[in-house]
Every structure is written in structure tokens, then in C-alpha cells.
Amino acid sequence: MTYDFKQTINRENTRSVKYDFREKLFGRQDVLPMWVADMDFTSVPELQDALIERAKHNVYGYTSYDDAILNAILGWLKNRHQFEVSTDLLSFSPGVIPSLHALVQTFTAEHDQIVIQPPVYPPFFSVIKSHNRELVENPLMNRNGRYEMDFEHLEELFKQGAKAFILCSPHNPVGRVWTKEELTRLADLCVQYNVYLFSNEIHADIVFKQAKHYPVATLNEEINQLTFTLMAPSKTFNIAGLQASFVVSPNQELKEKFDQQLMQQGFASLNTFAFTALEAVYKHGEPWLDGLIKQLEENKALIDQKLKENEIGISSVYTEGTYLIWLDFSGTGLKHDDIKRKLNDEAKVGLNEGKMFGAQGEQFMRMNIAAPPETVEEGINRIIKAFKS
């Protein structure tokens, strides 16, 4: 079966955050939105069929999971990532951020140090600060457009008593898919200094052909016992609005503590359609995902080609996964606010401004390329035209 990733779909008037809140966010309605992390593609066809079939029942009482749902998840993890987990260690929540809040509350105390690697997904900052923990930064190093971890600095932070580390793997926004060697070195440090590893692997499925995703918990038994793996089908299959995610805990004792905290936050179960979606996409979504990745690789190549042909001081960093592109505007010589204004008012393209991801995002912007190639080309052409002038 073939899937159409080139069709332009009108998402206006669907209460879409991406489209229907443009004026509120950017001050104008004519901005081409290429920011928030959802796609402009229809999802897996079998998912629509499953949701319609479930809706026909027209009774939406309290819903739980069964073996069919659990087996769909386990099969996906095993086949796609060689990650074999016990169903007894799975916990469900509406999203990875609620799960991170629960993990921070459960396994750290006030004033404990938690390490992150900026530039990084903005909620990582707030999930630490909102619970009165100490935010500690281990910035990634930009090596000629390819980001790497600073392991020497990281070890110093661990020596100073860090209690936990929040990993973004694959990384949002810089697009790195960490190698097995990089993750092993990180894991060894966590084991050596007894640091909990909260591994956000929500983009694990969207990996380009030159890379491979390794769940950290699979590296060895020592790191497995310190790692909570956070995953979801939401980014993979464009179903963030259905709010379904899960966490793989290290062992039963820690899972029970985590589940208790989730209950205290009010997360007892997923909604009816979330469970339906989990089963459908993990059972039927692999061919669709393979087509998606091919289209994303083509979109990234298009952006690289356009920027190379038009020397305007903008470059796209080395990307191995996700559908989020980290654009470097430092070569334009413009200050961050001037870049933002030019994008908004002249190019009329809505991107995520880099400073949201930490101080290291100065003169950077994040671009979402999960859209038909016509939309991606329109977006990059608008940017090129604005910065040429």
C-alpha cells in the first residue's frame, strides 16, 4: 500500500494550535506555521478505521488496556528497537511531560540537582524548576554543525552530586540520534555515580537511514536498573491530540512508586480513543512510517539544497532523525530579535525561536518539516527571499 505525503490538507477551523492560533502567537494570520511538533499529514488509515469502529459503539465509559494492546506495544518495541520489556513494568500517562513531572517528584527531593543538555526541549527546564529542584546544564557542543556531548563536563557535574539526568534521545531540537558508543559512555557515567536516567525517547521511531536508535535501557543490566524510558506513538504517527504515552520502569519496586505518584497527579488511565489508537498504530503503522521517513529525508535534502544554492548566512545543522530542523542564522550577522522579526514580518514563516531551548539557541530557530514538499519549499523560499533583501 502506498501513502500520500504530498497532499496538502486544510487544517484550518479544526481548533488546530498550529493553524487556528497563529494570530495570537505571531500577531498575524498570514504566517506559514512551521513550528509546533505535529505533522501536516494524515495518520495511518487503519487508525481512522479503528476509531470510527469504536465510535459506532457510542458508549464511552471508563476504559482500560488488555493483552491485545500490551502485545501491540511489546511487538513494536521488539521489532523496531530490539527492546524486550515486561508488560509488568509498563505505566501509562497522557504524555511524556506529565511522566517527567511524576519521575522528578518521585525520585528526587527539593534542591536535588538534575542535569539537562541544552539547547533542548523547553519543558525540560520547567519540569525541574517547578518542583524546586536545581537545574544544572551540560550544554551540547556544536562541532561545525554537528552536536556532541561534553562528557568531561558531564562527569564533573555528576561528581558534584547530581541526582538525575534527563536525556533527549533522539535529540530535540538538534536532530542527533546518539550512537551506541555515545550512549554507552553516558550510561557508564550514570552507573558510576548512581544517577537516575530519565530517557525521553518520544522521537525514537523517526530516524533517518544513516542512523539507528538505541534505547539506553538495552545497553546493559546496570544502566537498565537506573533508567526510566519514556515513549509514545504521538510524534511517530501524528496523534499527539489523542494523548497516549507510556513509561518502562527498571523494576517492580520503582514502578510501584512511580505509579503511586501518577495516581496522586490524577492519572489513573488513558482515554478510550488513546487505547484504541495505541493498538491500531503499533499493529498496522510500520509501512506508513517507512514512507514518512522517506518523505522527511527528501524534505531535509530540499532545505539543504536551497540553502546551499542561496548563500544568505543560514545553515541547517547535521540531522539524523526527528522532523525538527535546527537552523543556524549566525552567518547573517543579525541579532536574534532582528532574525525573529524578519521571519515573522517579512518571510511570514512561523518558527520556534531558538532561545526557548536555552541560551545556546541564540541566533537559531527550529523548523518543522513534517509537511508536504510543496509547503516545505514555500517556507524555505520565503525565508531565502526575506534574508536576501
Side-chain angles (χ1 to χ4, degrees), residues 2-201:
T2 58
Y3 304 95
D4 187 0
F5 294 101
K6 294 179 169 56
Q7 177 188 6
T8 299
I9 300 166
N10 184 1
R11 296 183 60 192
E12 295 182 353
N13 302 314
T14 62
R15 300 190 180 98
S16 162
V17 170
K18 191 174 187 178
Y19 283 84
D20 293 334
F21 292 85
R22 281 177 288 183
E23 189 161 351
K24 180 178 180 180
L25 293 165
F26 298 103
R28 57 192 314 149
Q29 189 65 22
D30 57 354
V31 164
L32 181 64
M34 305 185 76
W35 63 289
V36 70
D38 68 17
M39 307 187 208
D40 290 336
F41 303 127
T42 57
S43 188
V44 179
E46 290 86 351
L47 168 61
Q48 186 179 54
D49 295 339
L51 292 175
I52 291 172
E53 187 63 31
R54 179 63 184 86
K56 286 179 181 178
H57 188 255
N58 206 30
V59 177
Y60 311 104
Y62 295 114
T63 308
S64 188
Y65 56 87
D66 57 14
D67 287 343
I69 293 172
L70 293 175
N71 289 335
I73 296 171
L74 298 190
W76 182 266
L77 295 180
K78 181 178 180 180
N79 295 333
R80 198 81 185 183
H81 302 294
Q82 296 73 58
F83 188 12
E84 297 192 43
V85 304
S86 166
T87 56
D88 294 336
L89 299 180
L90 284 177
S91 303
F92 294 97
S93 88
V96 297
I97 297 308
S99 295
L100 271 178
H101 278 281
L103 287 169
V104 167
Q105 290 176 286
T106 307
F107 299 106
T108 67
E110 287 196 3
H111 309 299
D112 276 351
Q113 295 180 347
I114 302 177
V115 181
I116 62 173
Q117 293 180 314
V120 74
Y121 186 45
F124 282 16
F125 296 87
S126 59
V127 80
I128 296 171
K129 294 178 179 178
S130 63
H131 299 296
N132 202 24
R133 273 56 168 175
E134 182 180 347
L135 173 68
V136 180
E137 295 188 7
N138 170 232
L140 298 176
M141 301 181 295
N142 187 347
R143 305 285 197 192
N144 298 316
R146 183 179 187 271
Y147 281 83
E148 299 176 0
M149 296 189 195
D150 186 344
F151 290 104
E152 288 75 17
H153 180 243
L154 181 61
E155 182 168 12
E156 288 301 315
L157 298 179
F158 283 2
K159 284 180 180 178
Q160 294 170 19
K163 185 68 173 180
F165 176 89
I166 303 178
L167 174 67
C168 201
S169 177
H171 194 279
N172 169 14
V174 307
R176 275 301 315 278
V177 177
W178 307 114
T179 65
K180 189 174 185 179
E181 291 71 25
E182 288 171 313
L183 292 173
T184 299
R185 191 170 177 185
L186 169 64
D188 289 345
L189 288 175
C190 289
V191 170
Q192 181 179 351
Y193 294 98
N194 195 34
V195 175
Y196 280 120
L197 180 56
F198 305 151
S199 187
N200 178 2
E201 303 186 19

Side-chain angles (χ1 to χ4, degrees), residues 344-355:
N344 193 66
D345 297 336
E346 296 182 37
K348 298 179 183 177
V349 177
L351 306 183
N352 289 107
E353 64 166 313
K355 289 197 291 188

Side-chain angles (χ1 to χ4, degrees), residues 309-326:
E309 291 172 351
N310 298 271
E311 298 180 1
I312 52 174
I314 304 173
S315 61
S316 172
V317 306
Y318 179 75
T319 304
E320 297 165 315
T322 83
Y323 50 81
L324 305 166
I325 303 302
W326 194 231

Side-chain angles (χ1 to χ4, degrees), residues 111-374:
H111 309 299
D112 276 351
Q113 295 180 347
I114 302 177
V115 181
I116 62 173
Q117 293 180 314
V120 74
Y121 186 45
F124 282 16
F125 296 87
S126 59
V127 80
I128 296 171
K129 294 178 179 178
S130 63
H131 299 296
N132 202 24
R133 273 56 168 175
E134 182 180 347
L135 173 68
V136 180
E137 295 188 7
N138 170 232
L140 298 176
M141 301 181 295
N142 187 347
R143 305 285 197 192
N144 298 316
R146 183 179 187 271
Y147 281 83
E148 299 176 0
M149 296 189 195
D150 186 344
F151 290 104
E152 288 75 17
H153 180 243
L154 181 61
E155 182 168 12
E156 288 301 315
L157 298 179
F158 283 2
K159 284 180 180 178
Q160 294 170 19
K163 185 68 173 180
F165 176 89
I166 303 178
L167 174 67
C168 201
S169 177
H171 194 279
N172 169 14
V174 307
R176 275 301 315 278
V177 177
W178 307 114
T179 65
K180 189 174 185 179
E181 291 71 25
E182 288 171 313
L183 292 173
T184 299
R185 191 170 177 185
L186 169 64
D188 289 345
L189 288 175
C190 289
V191 170
Q192 181 179 351
Y193 294 98
N194 195 34
V195 175
Y196 280 120
L197 180 56
F198 305 151
S199 187
N200 178 2
E201 303 186 19
I202 195 170
H203 291 282
D205 299 317
I206 305 175
V207 173
F208 295 170
K209 60 176 176 283
Q210 76 266 30
K212 177 176 173 54
H213 174 76
Y214 295 92
V216 184
T218 65
L219 297 179
N220 57 60
E221 183 59 28
E222 289 79 9
I223 191 58
N224 177 278
Q225 290 303 302
L226 288 171
T227 302
F228 292 84
T229 306
L230 296 83
M231 288 182 157
S234 52
K235 304 301 181 190
T236 307
F237 299 108
N238 199 27
I239 57 172
L242 293 177
Q243 298 186 319
S245 79
F246 57 92
V247 177
V248 183
S249 294
N251 56 58
Q252 194 63 41
E253 179 185 358
L254 297 182
K255 178 186 183 296
E256 289 175 2
K257 292 180 179 179
F258 175 60
D259 286 345
Q260 184 178 11
Q261 182 61 50
L262 284 177
M263 288 289 289
Q264 290 176 357
Q265 292 182 196
F267 300 134
S269 182
L270 300 183
N271 70 73
T272 301
F273 291 110
F275 279 130
T276 301
L278 272 169
E279 181 182 10
V281 296
Y282 281 147
K283 284 179 66 176
H284 303 290
E286 190 160 26
W288 182 93
L289 175 59
D290 292 339
L292 168 72
I293 292 173
K294 184 175 183 294
Q295 185 61 64
L296 294 176
E297 290 176 327
E298 292 177 5
N299 288 355
K300 177 60 165 62
L302 172 65
I303 288 176
D304 289 343
Q305 177 186 350
K306 290 279 187 177
L307 292 177
K308 184 177 180 180
E309 291 172 351
N310 298 271
E311 298 180 1
I312 52 174
I314 304 173
S315 61
S316 172
V317 306
Y318 179 75
T319 304
E320 297 165 315
T322 83
Y323 50 81
L324 305 166
I325 303 302
W326 194 231
L327 294 176
D328 183 353
F329 288 77
S330 60
T332 65
L334 297 175
K335 294 182 179 179
H336 187 90
D337 289 345
D338 292 329
I339 296 168
K340 181 181 175 182
R341 179 196 56 76
K342 205 169 185 68
L343 286 168
N344 193 66
D345 297 336
E346 296 182 37
K348 298 179 183 177
V349 177
L351 306 183
N352 289 107
E353 64 166 313
K355 289 197 291 188
M356 293 174 55
F357 302 85
Q360 299 78 9
E362 181 83 24
Q363 295 181 298
F364 285 82
M365 298 285 165
R366 192 187 76 170
M367 183 181 194
N368 179 347
I369 62 166
E374 182 180 2

